Amino acid sequence: MTMIRATHLSKHFQVAQPGEGLSEKLKRFFAPQYKLIKAVDDVSLEIERGSIVGYLGPNGAGKSTTIKLLTGILTPSAGDVLVNGLVPHKARTQNAFNIGVVFGQRSQLWWDLPLIDSFHILRAMYRVPQERYRRNLAFLVELLEMADFLEQPVRKLSLGQKMKGDITAALLHDPPILYLDEPTIGLDVISKNKILQFLRALNAERQTTIILTTHNLSDVEQVCPRIVIIDKGKIILDAMQSEIFQRFGKQRVLTVEFHDRVPAIQAPAGKIIEQSENKVCIEFNREEISAFDLMAALGKDWPIKDVSIHEENIESIVSRIYQTGVGTD
């Protein structure tokens, strides 16, 4: 079942240009000139129920604007969007019951109230039946390990505890879709890993569709089988992690340690990126030569003591795509 379908979706903004110098600024004040900014430009996207999708891109790429279009905060300039059968900007109230939204730098909790009171208020706002609310709250409190701080005022919670509270607040009404914008920003490693474990468990338990936008690419590697990359308002890559590794992760680094000191080595393939008295690091393309053949060639002349192979992770691959585009394979 398709939960989200965007077809040729666009959002353009007109930004006033101030001009340079006093006379030009005065002229622009009476006769303003505008520059058209294509924040989202002809985006087509389908996301199935139960998917976890990493929606990535550099700053200003159009990630947050896309999320605002999907949540109904913004009206598209062109194109169509359906979220669980609804047009978000035309059915904002109905759509709000279908989605949970968490912004890493904004909270929907009441600052001076105990955390549990924020949940009670949200239950009333979303008109969640009492029994369903108790069941959902118990499920989320157990999974996120929140029992010890439910009665504490929000202002006294740690960053990780607040984030757990915000995620719970977004899920109390059982939305089938959860949007997360930088949910682990500023968290320590332990808190971050607990949040990521929770997202995997939530998806497995309830088939919640999760859209994650983040600059922390290690988070994406852990929880998002599918990755969509947007740049300058356009989707430049939409693929499963395994496909991305296959297409872009061809470079490996072989580190060989020899028993004795060796002279300057001429690598049979690849590029030597580091060499010491008895160690050499060679970057090579796995489609041009295998690590075994490379080791065999080096071991002909000098006895090998130890070897290791480093492969690219999703962070290095996506970072390279940000810098050079998708034409790097």
Side-chain angles (χ1 to χ4, degrees):
M1 175 185 173
T2 301
M3 290 296 287
I4 298 172
R5 177 182 286 116
T7 308
H8 303 296
L9 189 63
S10 296
K11 182 60 181 178
H12 301 162
F13 298 96
Q14 283 192 327
V15 179
Q17 302 300 292
E20 296 182 5
L22 181 59
S23 61
E24 187 67 21
K25 289 180 186 295
L26 286 171
K27 186 187 299 182
R28 296 282 178 90
F29 179 80
F30 293 103
Q33 295 183 14
Y34 298 92
K35 179 181 179 181
L36 186 67
I37 304 296
K38 297 181 178 181
V40 173
D41 189 17
D42 197 27
V43 163
S44 294
L45 182 69
E46 286 195 12
I47 297 175
E48 299 299 310
R49 180 179 184 269
S51 301
I52 307 182
V53 179
Y55 195 61
L56 311 179
N59 288 330
K63 303 186 299 298
S64 295
T65 303
T66 305
I67 298 301
K68 288 173 182 177
L69 291 167
L70 297 180
T71 55
I73 294 172
L74 293 177
T75 300
S77 302
D80 301 300
V81 58
L82 278 177
V83 176
N84 201 21
L86 299 173
V87 179
H89 66 279
K90 292 182 178 179
R92 286 190 172 95
T93 301
Q94 289 174 276
N95 188 59
F97 284 89
N98 283 333
I99 64 173
V101 184
V102 177
F103 293 102
Q105 300 186 63
R106 299 175 199 149
S107 179
Q108 56 186 316
L109 305 172
W110 279 261
W111 189 248
D112 291 314
L113 295 181
L115 180 60
I116 190 66
D117 286 359
S118 287
F119 297 157
H120 293 337
I121 293 170
L122 288 165
R123 183 205 72 78
M125 288 174 60
Y126 282 100
R127 301 191 292 277
V128 182
Q130 192 67 42
E131 181 55 37
R132 180 177 160 201
Y133 168 70
R134 282 198 295 265
R135 187 173 62 248
N136 287 345
L137 184 61
F139 169 78
L140 294 165
V141 167
E142 180 182 359
L143 216 54
L144 284 167
E145 301 175 355
M146 299 171 57
D148 291 341
F149 55 87
L150 282 175
E151 301 295 336
Q152 291 187 36
V154 171
R155 68 176 185 276
K156 293 187 177 181
L157 300 181
S158 70
L159 191 58
Q161 290 170 335
K162 286 193 192 86
M163 183 51 60
K164 289 179 179 181
D166 271 309
I167 291 174
T168 299
L171 292 170
L172 283 172
H173 59 292
D174 260 345
I177 302 169
L178 177 62
Y179 299 106
L180 298 168
D181 188 5
E182 297 284 357
T184 62
I185 190 168
L187 298 186
D188 60 74
V189 173
I190 294 174
S191 298
K192 182 184 79 168
N193 287 337
K194 286 182 177 179
I195 296 292
L196 298 178
Q197 289 170 14
F198 165 77
L199 295 178
R200 288 194 295 265
L202 176 72
N203 177 258
E205 178 84 14
R206 299 194 170 181
Q207 285 292 290
T208 303
T209 304
I210 300 173
I211 316 299
L212 171 64
T213 72
T214 180
H215 289 295
N216 193 332
L217 299 177
S218 63
D219 292 358
V220 174
E221 187 164 14
Q222 291 186 58
V223 299
C224 301
R226 178 181 170 192
I227 292 174
V228 178
I229 299 178
I230 185 172
D231 190 22
K232 297 177 182 176
K234 292 182 177 291
I235 290 178
I236 60 172
L237 182 67
D238 182 353
M240 303 302 288
Q241 265 203 56
S242 56
E243 297 171 16
I244 293 173
F245 276 115
Q246 181 65 30
R247 180 178 174 188
F248 296 97
K250 298 175 182 177
Q251 295 299 116
R252 294 177 173 177
V253 175
L254 174 68
T255 300
V256 180
E257 184 181 358
F258 302 96
H259 278 282
D260 306 307
R261 180 176 180 177
V262 296
I265 291 174
Q266 294 295 321
K271 179 178 68 173
I272 294 176
I273 57 176
E274 185 180 339
Q275 184 171 359
S276 60
E277 289 186 351
N278 68 328
K279 185 183 290 187
V280 64
C281 298
I282 301 173
E283 185 180 60
F284 67 100
N285 187 316
R286 59 178 168 80
E287 293 190 341
E288 295 175 357
I289 189 172
S290 70
F292 179 83
D293 290 339
L294 193 51
M295 284 186 290
L298 295 171
K300 285 180 181 178
D301 300 315
W302 305 283
I304 293 175
K305 179 180 179 181
D306 194 16
V307 296
S308 65
I309 300 173
H310 173 74
E311 301 197 43
E312 289 188 288
N313 57 22
I314 201 68
E315 185 166 2
S316 62
I317 292 171
V318 172
S319 295
R320 193 171 73 243
I321 292 172
Y322 284 177
Q323 294 170 3
T324 61
V326 294
T328 59
D329 57 324

